[in-house]
Amino acid sequence: MKDRNLPFHRFWTTEVGLTGVLVFLILYLIASYLLDQYSVAKLFSLIFLSLFLISAALSVSERPIARLVFGVLALVALGFVWADYFFPAMGLRTWRVLADELTAGYLIVLLLHHVFAEGSITYHRICGAVAVYLLLAWLWSEFYIFIFLHNPEAIRLPADVVSSSFDEIQSTMYYFSIVTLTTLGYGDIVPVSHSARLAAMLEAFFGQLYPAIMLAWLVSMEILDRTQRK
């Protein structure tokens, strides 16, 4: 039996793989936010991150070059993540954040290419679009972390978070990214510097435009596909 006929191969090389990417992404985000404050339990969030990036590398693109590029970025990002976990004294956090940003950004491009490919709009494509939305929040949280690492006064955090571990700050930045992307704006975290404010403004802008444009685009693609089939 050829490899392409195996169920595992069909799962990751068809649109069903987009649902798998979304599931592992949600598991990682939940685990990282709830478990990163516990040193032992943090290991599980890193495992979910590894599963998410592996699933993404298997399903994001049928083009060998695109898959190879993302695979390299994912391996580099995982290398920095695990190295920072076992050897925090090496000071790899800045490189880790940069690798995460490149990986998340490239993954967003590949997922959008997959979602907007020709054909009817399926449940799995919608899952891919949702995954992109969550990845935007993750990408911007990495921007905030990068800004904070270089200027701790750039973002005003609650006092108990400032004195906590880097992992707690990381999960707090994702929380801030989510409330900014959805324009909730509770006000407990405030961008102070110009770079932090610019990042927050751009995220709020994308957070408003993305759902509207994505919904309109997917609906128009489905209408066009049904018209062509008739």
PDB file of all heavy atoms in Angstrom, residues 89 135 141 149 156 186 197:
ATOM      1  N   ALA A  89      19.064  30.023  31.722  1.00  0.00           N
ATOM      2  CA  ALA A  89      20.170  30.951  31.952  1.00  0.00           C
ATOM      3  C   ALA A  89      20.905  31.323  30.669  1.00  0.00           C
ATOM      4  O   ALA A  89      21.728  32.249  30.675  1.00  0.00           O
ATOM      5  CB  ALA A  89      21.156  30.343  32.953  1.00  0.00           C
ATOM      6  N   LEU A 135      -4.185  32.623  15.592  1.00  0.00           N
ATOM      7  CA  LEU A 135      -2.761  32.837  15.336  1.00  0.00           C
ATOM      8  C   LEU A 135      -2.411  34.318  15.301  1.00  0.00           C
ATOM      9  O   LEU A 135      -1.306  34.708  15.690  1.00  0.00           O
ATOM     10  CB  LEU A 135      -2.362  32.174  14.023  1.00  0.00           C
ATOM     11  CG  LEU A 135      -2.091  30.673  14.079  1.00  0.00           C
ATOM     12  CD1 LEU A 135      -1.929  30.104  12.679  1.00  0.00           C
ATOM     13  CD2 LEU A 135      -0.844  30.378  14.915  1.00  0.00           C
ATOM     14  N   SER A 141       0.808  38.760  20.511  1.00  0.00           N
ATOM     15  CA  SER A 141       1.316  38.585  21.869  1.00  0.00           C
ATOM     16  C   SER A 141       2.833  38.472  21.877  1.00  0.00           C
ATOM     17  O   SER A 141       3.506  38.957  22.799  1.00  0.00           O
ATOM     18  CB  SER A 141       0.690  37.338  22.516  1.00  0.00           C
ATOM     19  OG  SER A 141       1.170  36.145  21.925  1.00  0.00           O
ATOM     20  N   LEU A 149      10.407  42.901  26.570  1.00  0.00           N
ATOM     21  CA  LEU A 149      11.756  42.445  26.889  1.00  0.00           C
ATOM     22  C   LEU A 149      12.783  43.558  26.715  1.00  0.00           C
ATOM     23  O   LEU A 149      13.769  43.624  27.456  1.00  0.00           O
ATOM     24  CB  LEU A 149      12.129  41.249  26.009  1.00  0.00           C
ATOM     25  CG  LEU A 149      11.449  39.914  26.332  1.00  0.00           C
ATOM     26  CD1 LEU A 149      11.831  38.862  25.304  1.00  0.00           C
ATOM     27  CD2 LEU A 149      11.814  39.434  27.737  1.00  0.00           C
ATOM     28  N   ARG A 156       2.263  48.737  30.752  1.00  0.00           N
ATOM     29  CA  ARG A 156       2.000  48.771  32.184  1.00  0.00           C
ATOM     30  C   ARG A 156       1.178  47.546  32.571  1.00  0.00           C
ATOM     31  O   ARG A 156       0.006  47.404  32.178  1.00  0.00           O
ATOM     32  CB  ARG A 156       1.257  50.050  32.561  1.00  0.00           C
ATOM     33  CG  ARG A 156       1.103  50.269  34.064  1.00  0.00           C
ATOM     34  CD  ARG A 156       0.380  51.570  34.319  1.00  0.00           C
ATOM     35  NE  ARG A 156       1.091  52.685  33.693  1.00  0.00           N
ATOM     36  CZ  ARG A 156       0.479  53.755  33.200  1.00  0.00           C
ATOM     37  NH1 ARG A 156      -0.844  53.842  33.226  1.00  0.00           N
ATOM     38  NH2 ARG A 156       1.193  54.738  32.664  1.00  0.00           N
ATOM     39  N   TYR A 186     -10.273  45.889  28.713  1.00  0.00           N
ATOM     40  CA  TYR A 186     -10.650  45.996  30.122  1.00  0.00           C
ATOM     41  C   TYR A 186      -9.915  47.123  30.844  1.00  0.00           C
ATOM     42  O   TYR A 186     -10.389  47.640  31.837  1.00  0.00           O
ATOM     43  CB  TYR A 186     -10.397  44.669  30.844  1.00  0.00           C
ATOM     44  CG  TYR A 186     -11.344  43.577  30.413  1.00  0.00           C
ATOM     45  CD1 TYR A 186     -10.869  42.415  29.816  1.00  0.00           C
ATOM     46  CD2 TYR A 186     -12.714  43.711  30.599  1.00  0.00           C
ATOM     47  CE1 TYR A 186     -11.740  41.410  29.423  1.00  0.00           C
ATOM     48  CE2 TYR A 186     -13.582  42.707  30.210  1.00  0.00           C
ATOM     49  CZ  TYR A 186     -13.095  41.556  29.635  1.00  0.00           C
ATOM     50  OH  TYR A 186     -13.953  40.565  29.241  1.00  0.00           O
ATOM     51  N   ARG A 197       1.784  51.139  21.728  1.00  0.00           N
ATOM     52  CA  ARG A 197       0.498  51.691  21.304  1.00  0.00           C
ATOM     53  C   ARG A 197       0.234  51.427  19.823  1.00  0.00           C
ATOM     54  O   ARG A 197      -0.899  51.125  19.417  1.00  0.00           O
ATOM     55  CB  ARG A 197       0.465  53.190  21.580  1.00  0.00           C
ATOM     56  CG  ARG A 197       0.364  53.537  23.072  1.00  0.00           C
ATOM     57  CD  ARG A 197       0.400  55.038  23.284  1.00  0.00           C
ATOM     58  NE  ARG A 197       0.231  55.381  24.699  1.00  0.00           N
ATOM     59  CZ  ARG A 197       0.279  56.614  25.177  1.00  0.00           C
ATOM     60  NH1 ARG A 197       0.509  57.638  24.338  1.00  0.00           N
ATOM     61  NH2 ARG A 197       0.102  56.844  26.459  1.00  0.00           N
TER      62      ARG A 197
END
